[in-house]
Every structure is written in structure tokens, then in C-alpha cells.
Amino acid sequence: MTSPQDGSQCFTNPKYIENNVLVVAVSVTVGLGAAHAFLANGTVFLAIVRTMLKDRCTQRGNSHNKNSYVTQLFMMSMSLSGVLSGAFVMPLVMSDVISNNSWTLGATLYKIRIAGDYLLYALTTIHITFMAIDTYILVCWPLIYRLLPAKTGYLMISIGWIVPVIIITTWCLQQNNLLQCSQYNDKTNGVINFNVTFGSLLLVNYAGVSILYLLVLKDIVRFRNRHLSGAKVTNSKDIFHRDDSESKVNLGMSKRKFRRNVKCFRFIGMVLLNVSICWLPTYCLLAVFKSPKIDLPGWAILFINLWTYFSCCVNPYLYSSNKSIYLAVRNLICYEYI
């Protein structure tokens, strides 16, 4: 049986899951995840906005405060993408699960569902990239980082939203036959070709972010070894008549810089680890789906796709590991500044 010409329903797609009870359980889980993603990310978003509006005059005083300000900008933007995912994308995914891979809501909503997935992938990847670049410049090129205005964060976030929205929206609007029964079986159509290209770009970008992360780690280790060697010279008896007070001041500044770099490295590392666990399987699936050797069952493809949305539920807790964001969330919930 073929699908109607308007593309409103497709009858020949293979079912995700044969057990109807399991379909209901997965649908309920996705619905609860959507509600959690919307509420948790919305709380973080409102908390950051509230804090930035109150403290915007004091957040730009020095490079450390600027780093905290830019970090809050990134977290606010990623929280907004999580809110949109919980409000629009995940409910459409739940509808897809309920219908068990037989879409019944029409071609327009199906385009929104596909565009939402692509946007979520692109937004997360671009934000992680800019966060890694920001951390790399902060740790490896601190003098250059001090010259960058805090408004650089607004520029990166604007690029991170405008570019993928324009590209993906334009592509989806051009796909008049996006909803077709053959798209899951025919590995030569335009949808699959776009998936392979998109997934390959995401993998390349992920490799670049990992390289930046390793460069930051290398610089931190080198800074630590240099700091330890300097401390040994300071603590030795032969210090060549150096001023003890000046040495202590320099040593204290080095310790603060080292702790700051370690915190930035740890934070971006946690976010990158989350991407590696939740998003990397989807990147690989998109990149190799055209291969004739890859023939996964429907339930496996569904699980990999749903696993990416788990990231939207976990992200608010990762953001709250940052002290400034944690205080912002606590102040919002308690309705007072502590």
C-alpha cells in the first residue's frame, strides 16, 4: 500500500516496536522527558536571565568576570534550545512513537519535526564548539582573551542560531516529498544523502572540539609543571635574594590562575562527555546510514534517536555544576539573593 499524495500518512513504514504495551511505556517516558526538559531548562534559563539583568554592570570588570559572563551566555542559549526541544520537538517525537512510525499529523508538522531534530543537533554542536574555542583562548592565550569584549559572546551565540536556522529551514522547505514511505528503505534519496553529509560534518566538528580540549589539557599540565618547579625554587634555601613578599604574590596569582583554568577545563569536559555519550551515536548513525552494511532494526534506530533527547534532561544539572549558575538557580527558587 502506498501513501496518499498529500503525504499525510504512510502505511508501509516498518514499526518501531511490535509490543503495544512497550509502545505505550516508551511514549509515556518521552512525554515525561519532554516535561522535565521544558521545566528544568526553563528554570535555568530564567535564573540566568534574572541574574544577568541584575548584575550586568559588575560582570564585565575583569577577565575572570568576563569568562563567567560569557559562560552564562552559552548556558542561557543552550537552555533555550532545551526549552524549545521540550516544548515542540519531543512532543512530536512522542506522537511518532505513539503512531509506531506511521505519521498521521501531516507533512507540515513532519517537516517541523525533522527540522527540529536537525536544529537541535546543529545548535548543540555549534555551542560546544564555541565553548571549546572560548576556553582554549582563555587558557592558552590569556592576553588575547583580555582584549576580547564580552560582546564577543553575543556574536558567537548569534552565529550559532542564525546560520543553522537559515540552512536547515531552507532545506526543509525545498523538500516537497519529505514524507514518503521510501525514505526509511531507499538509501539513495535526498533525505538520506543530507543525513550522511550532516552526520559527517558533525563528526568532523566533534573531532575538532576534542583536539581543542586536548590542547587545553596540555597547556594546563604544562602550567602545573612550571608552577611546581617554580615553587621548588622558592622554597629552596638558595633563592638568589628574591623578595619573599613578591614571590608569594606571584605564587598566589599562579594558583588562582591554575584553579580557574582547571575549573573551565572540568566544566567544558563534562559538557563534552555528555555530548560523547548522548550525541555521538546519532552522529555516527547519520554518517554511515547510507552504507548497505548498516541495516539496524527500527527499535535500535528509535532508541538511538531518543537517547539524544536524554541530553536535554541532563544538561540543566551539568549547567548547575557551575557555581555562578548554581547560585542563580538557587536564588530564583528561593526568591532572594543569599
Side-chain angles (χ1 to χ4, degrees):
M1 183 178 296
T2 59
S3 59
Q5 294 182 357
D6 62 351
S8 61
Q9 188 175 7
C10 183
F11 297 97
T12 61
N13 282 340
K15 292 183 178 181
Y16 287 133
I17 307 171
E18 296 295 337
N19 192 329
N20 293 330
V21 177
L22 190 57
V23 171
V24 174
V26 174
S27 302
V28 172
T29 302
V30 175
L32 294 176
H36 177 77
F38 177 79
L39 294 175
N41 286 280
T43 301
V44 173
F45 177 79
L46 292 177
I48 296 176
V49 170
R50 182 172 181 260
T51 300
M52 292 178 65
L53 290 177
K54 288 183 175 295
D55 300 337
R56 62 181 182 275
C57 295
T58 59
Q59 291 284 346
R60 306 174 183 177
N62 51 51
S63 61
H64 178 70
N65 286 338
K66 186 181 72 174
N67 173 251
S68 176
Y69 185 77
V70 173
T71 300
Q72 288 185 2
L73 284 177
F74 282 122
M75 296 303 101
M76 180 185 67
S77 182
M78 294 186 69
S79 297
L80 179 59
S81 67
V83 170
L84 297 177
S85 175
F88 299 102
V89 181
M90 294 181 70
L92 293 177
V93 173
M94 183 180 66
S95 176
D96 189 23
V97 176
I98 292 175
S99 62
N100 209 354
N101 203 17
S102 295
W103 188 261
T104 58
L105 299 181
T108 300
L109 285 179
Y110 189 74
K111 288 184 178 181
I112 295 176
R113 184 247 193 277
I114 297 298
D117 281 343
Y118 289 147
L119 283 176
L120 189 60
Y121 301 156
L123 288 173
T124 301
T125 303
I126 293 177
H127 278 70
I128 294 300
T129 302
F130 283 146
M131 288 174 60
I133 294 175
D134 182 77
T135 303
Y136 173 76
I137 298 176
L138 172 67
V139 174
C140 302
W141 304 92
L143 296 179
I144 296 179
Y145 190 84
R146 293 176 184 175
L147 299 177
L148 296 176
K151 293 182 179 180
T152 306
Y154 291 104
L155 177 62
M156 290 187 290
I157 291 174
S158 299
I159 295 174
W161 279 88
I162 295 174
V163 173
V165 166
I166 293 177
I167 295 176
I168 295 174
T169 302
T170 302
W171 179 82
C172 286
L173 291 177
Q174 292 175 349
Q175 303 302 311
N176 297 324
N177 57 345
L178 184 61
L179 182 58
Q180 288 186 351
C181 301
S182 61
Q183 77 173 60
Y184 294 99
N185 302 319
D186 181 11
K187 295 187 177 183
T188 62
N189 61 55
V191 176
I192 302 303
N193 291 333
F194 181 81
N195 285 347
V196 173
T197 304
F198 191 67
S200 300
L201 291 175
L202 294 179
L203 285 177
V204 171
N205 186 85
Y206 175 82
V209 172
S210 301
I211 293 174
L212 282 179
Y213 186 73
L214 293 177
L215 291 176
V216 172
L217 175 61
K218 178 182 178 182
D219 197 81
I220 289 178
V221 172
R222 182 176 60 184
F223 183 85
R224 175 179 177 273
N225 294 335
R226 187 193 317 154
H227 168 69
L228 291 177
S229 62
K232 291 179 181 178
V233 173
T234 303
N235 293 331
S236 63
K237 293 182 180 180
D238 186 13
I239 58 175
F240 303 101
H241 306 288
R242 293 179 61 184
D243 188 355
D244 290 340
S245 61
E246 182 180 354
S247 300
K248 290 180 180 179
V249 171
N250 294 332
L251 186 61
M253 294 177 62
S254 299
K255 288 182 178 180
R256 288 194 298 270
K257 180 180 178 181
F258 177 74
R259 286 195 296 267
R260 182 202 64 187
N261 292 345
V262 169
K263 288 181 179 179
C264 294
F265 175 80
R266 186 183 303 158
F267 183 70
I268 186 63
M270 292 174 59
V271 178
L272 184 61
L273 179 62
N274 181 37
V275 172
S276 302
I277 295 175
C278 297
W279 296 86
L280 193 57
T282 301
Y283 295 170
C284 296
L285 178 63
L286 291 174
V288 304
F289 195 75
K290 191 177 181 180
S291 173
K293 298 180 180 180
I294 303 299
D295 190 15
L296 297 178
W299 64 266
I301 297 177
L302 176 64
F303 176 79
I304 293 176
N305 290 335
L306 294 181
W307 184 246
T308 59
Y309 298 107
F310 180 72
S311 173
C312 297
C313 301
V314 176
N315 281 340
Y317 302 101
L318 294 181
Y319 305 156
S320 298
S321 64
N322 182 280
K323 184 177 179 180
S324 60
I325 297 178
Y326 168 76
L327 293 176
V329 173
R330 188 177 67 174
N331 293 335
L332 176 66
I333 296 176
C334 297
Y335 291 100
E336 63 179 358
Y337 280 100
I338 299 176

